[in-house]
Amino acid sequence: MKSILFGVSLLLTFSLMGYAFAIENEYDLEYNLLPNKIHKNDVVTLEVYNMHGSQVSLDKIRDLKVESLDKSIIEIIDFEKIHSYKTLIKLKAYAEGETILYVFTEGSKLLEIPVKVYGNNLPKNISLDLFPDVFEIDQNNQGILSLLLTDENGVVTRADKDYLIKLGASKSGVITFSDSTAIISKGEFETMQTFTVNKKGLVTITAKSDDLESSKLLTVDESADREIQIFIIPEDISSSNTSSGHLIAQLFSNGKLTKATKDITVFYEIESSTDSETVNTSSDVNTINPNGYFQIQKGQTYGHELFSIQKGETDSYTLTATTQDPLMIVEETFETIDVELYGHEQIKFEPLSVLSDGSRQLIGVLYLEDENGHPVTADRDIVVPFTTSDKTISIENSIIKKGFESALVFGNMGYFVPTNSDIAPNIPNSEVVTLDVDGFDDDSVSLKTHVSTDHFLKGELHWIAVYMESSDGLFQIPNYLKIDVSDSDIFVVDKEHIMKYPYFTIIPIMAVDSGDEDLVINAGEFETSISLSSVSSKPDSLSLDHSDRLFNGVKDTFVLQILDSSGFPVQINEDINVKIFSSDSSILDFPKSVTIPKKSSFTLFDLEPTSSGTLDVSFVSEGLPILTEEIVVEEITPTIQITSADIVEEGDSFIVSILAKQNGVPLQNAPVIWELEGGITTISDEQTGPTGEAIASIISTSDESVKILASIDGPIQSAFASKIIKVNSTSVEMIQESDDSFKKPDVAGFDPILVMVPAALVGMIFYMKRKSK
């Protein structure tokens, strides 16, 4: 019977071993890169280790392979095998750029590690900025061109030499630069100039300097169709000695009043109906062919000419007006009446379309009539004031001079379309007139900002453009609006060098410190904000890198690195001493100070925790913010769990298994030593398998008890456990009773130990001894 049990025991043992080693490897590769941010020419350390789920495996990786995708950027120069459980790989960074490290071993998933190597913050690009980059030729035609030097990360950087930059355009005549060349001098980072657009076109603007080049697309749209309307006021003109008429031309675009972008000359000629019917009549004294010209000046919506007609005659006349750009031919007619009436009984007002742009404009014509609608000449100076419904409208007093029949009326509609545009001459029996006002409501206009880069350089003067925008594009900033920028500890406005243009204002700003801040900008009732960041290429902060998991008794590497305000590694020109203060040196004994050497961005030091726990450590260096880190050290004492029956029969073979764990993870491939008192082993595992288990088949030789001692030699620390199993002296009878119910266990998909001893109890005794170094 004993031999049968022994055979079954062997079968179970071999079956379990086959099952255990068929388990798929559930370990994943993990890594630390020290330091995490690499500078050109640095030699850094790549630490690779195994993870089992969320737990660190303390087993050393075998046959690890590491390959660099681009060896011109970073290359593997050495493997070190002195760490307790990590594989350490030395890397050399040769050039700035980005690449990938491939880390792999047989049976594990390929690990791809992205690596970025930072350079020396030297200019690598020219950033060309155009504001605005879309124009309408009949509106604003002036813009700002800015050139910035940036490093490989797109961050503004100072010039390491003088940069001569040539500006060009893919089409001629569309744009005019203030200067076709620009210079960014050594130590500076930016230059700025104005430019002017001249005609419609889609043009690429380029900036070139040696091997640096940048380009931007500039769009100049054609002006909307424009037309000129001609008005003759009044329609009936007296032919008295002082009689005259007002010839007025107004410029419209899409039915709305618009400003001229250049001087527009209006030619006119007046011809009488009598003159047109009579040919070569020298005796006819009614011949009149006056002609002349006047202009709608740049920036104006109107042009005006006062003309006189032949005295003492009654006739009909045709006025023909022509312009070249836009090409227009317009005809208007008027009548003359031979009257010599004087008075001031009826004052008429003829309004014109007017634009709300904050400027003084012609809004209409006052003239005198009698009760029959005939023109009347003033018998004295007549001053005519106006009343308005909206306080934003301002109308000047108009004077009809003695001996004249009419006078022009000027006014200002403000910068936005008034809510009520009713006006009236402040005289008896006057009629209310509603003006036709073109422009934009104040709620359709917004305040905005533009900046060529939102990353300022600490200690340097930069600029932002403040402008207003309507639904049709840029809106001319009202003169009365004062632009205010909120106070800041980081960004200070240079108020003495603010530059005002019709459609935008350039505000110089000095970054006096590094950091981020939102600036609020106000212009009257309008408000906007802009987020700015100030960076410094000088040392700005300290950073500590180390393993994510630190264990008691395991030496690990710490890296203290110096960064600029952008978080990039910066190589320093002198040694930087850093003092270290630890809250608990009994856990981790830091040195009192370390030195980051010149021409480097970091320093490394190795520390070995002497106990588990949590501590705070602070790093202090003159001129830099204090860095405080919380560090946690974990315990990694191995554990052994013995599983077997609590009572066996004398001379029987039985199975004993152990489960070894370290840091909560199954401890695989750990050497196992079995020691027995009162029994012998028939077969046993010499090391733990992938699940951390090892099995032994034991035959009792004592009639009292079998003492089992199992010890493991972990990668860092060792441990052992023991269990005493009682021996039943009536083993023969018990075997005969149990033999009838015994069946060969099914190990497919189940743990054979559990099938064999379903009621087994677990005994655990923990001992730990420090592994000798």
Side-chain angles (χ1 to χ4, degrees), residues 541-544 560-561 617-620 624-629:
S541 63
L542 293 169
S543 174
L544 182 69
L560 188 65
Q561 190 170 32
V617 58
S618 297
F619 301 85
V620 182
L624 296 174
I626 296 175
L627 172 67
T628 300
E629 293 277 338

Side-chain angles (χ1 to χ4, degrees), residues 276-307:
S276 63
E277 296 171 358
T278 304
V279 181
N280 295 329
T281 305
S282 58
S283 62
D284 202 339
V285 295
N286 199 30
T287 302
I288 178 171
N289 284 295
N291 57 71
Y293 65 90
F294 61 99
Q295 287 186 325
I296 302 176
Q297 295 182 345
K298 179 181 179 180
Q300 294 286 354
T301 61
Y302 72 93
H304 168 262
E305 176 78 349
L306 186 65
F307 66 92

Side-chain angles (χ1 to χ4, degrees), residues 137-156:
I137 199 67
D138 60 346
Q139 295 181 3
N140 171 54
N141 65 344
Q142 194 171 37
I144 296 292
L145 182 149
S146 175
L147 296 168
L148 292 167
L149 293 177
T150 61
D151 62 16
E152 69 277 2
N153 303 300
V155 177
V156 177

Side-chain angles (χ1 to χ4, degrees), residues 345-363:
E345 289 82 5
Q346 294 190 31
I347 300 177
K348 299 289 185 177
F349 175 62
E350 183 70 27
L352 298 166
S353 295
V354 65
L355 184 65
S356 58
D357 68 342
S359 66
R360 180 178 186 265
Q361 295 184 51
L362 177 64
I363 67 167

Side-chain angles (χ1 to χ4, degrees), residues 549-616:
R549 307 285 291 274
L550 299 173
F551 302 110
N552 177 26
V554 180
K555 183 182 293 186
D556 258 307
T557 300
F558 290 75
V559 177
L560 188 65
Q561 190 170 32
I562 192 162
L563 308 174
D564 63 20
S565 59
S566 299
F568 302 141
V570 54
Q571 290 189 342
I572 50 180
N573 295 321
E574 57 184 10
D575 292 348
I576 291 184
N577 183 259
V578 182
K579 295 181 179 179
I580 305 176
F581 301 91
S582 173
S583 65
D584 194 340
S585 58
S586 66
I587 298 174
L588 200 55
D589 189 14
F590 278 86
K592 299 300 182 183
S593 65
V594 294
T595 299
I596 301 176
K598 63 181 179 180
K599 303 302 180 182
S600 179
S601 69
F602 66 93
T603 186
L604 300 92
F605 48 95
D606 292 334
L607 298 177
E608 182 177 319
T610 53
S611 65
S612 60
T614 302
L615 70 153
D616 291 327

Side-chain angles (χ1 to χ4, degrees), residues 368-431:
L368 301 176
E369 282 186 352
D370 63 12
E371 63 276 6
N372 299 315
H374 295 157
V376 175
T377 302
D379 58 359
R380 61 181 174 83
D381 287 352
I382 302 173
V383 178
V384 182
F386 281 79
T387 58
T388 62
S389 300
D390 195 305
K391 293 182 179 180
T392 61
I393 298 177
S394 175
I395 309 296
E396 300 174 11
N397 291 344
S398 185
I399 302 176
I400 303 176
K401 294 286 187 179
K402 180 180 179 179
F404 289 85
E405 300 172 355
S406 61
L408 300 177
V409 180
F410 293 89
N412 192 322
M413 299 297 105
Y415 288 91
F416 305 100
V417 174
T419 56
N420 191 330
S421 57
D422 290 344
I423 67 170
N426 192 10
I427 56 176
N429 303 319
S430 63
E431 296 180 356

Side-chain angles (χ1 to χ4, degrees), residues 301-356:
T301 61
Y302 72 93
H304 168 262
E305 176 78 349
L306 186 65
F307 66 92
S308 298
I309 51 87
Q310 189 171 3
K311 301 175 180 64
E313 296 290 341
T314 301
D315 205 344
S316 296
Y317 295 90
T318 299
L319 184 146
T320 303
T322 60
T323 58
Q324 295 295 322
D325 185 14
L327 182 60
M328 298 286 295
I329 301 177
V330 182
E331 290 186 350
E332 290 290 335
T333 61
F334 63 93
E335 304 283 338
T336 59
I337 301 176
D338 185 15
V339 293
E340 292 287 343
L341 299 177
Y342 291 86
H344 60 275
E345 289 82 5
Q346 294 190 31
I347 300 177
K348 299 289 185 177
F349 175 62
E350 183 70 27
L352 298 166
S353 295
V354 65
L355 184 65
S356 58

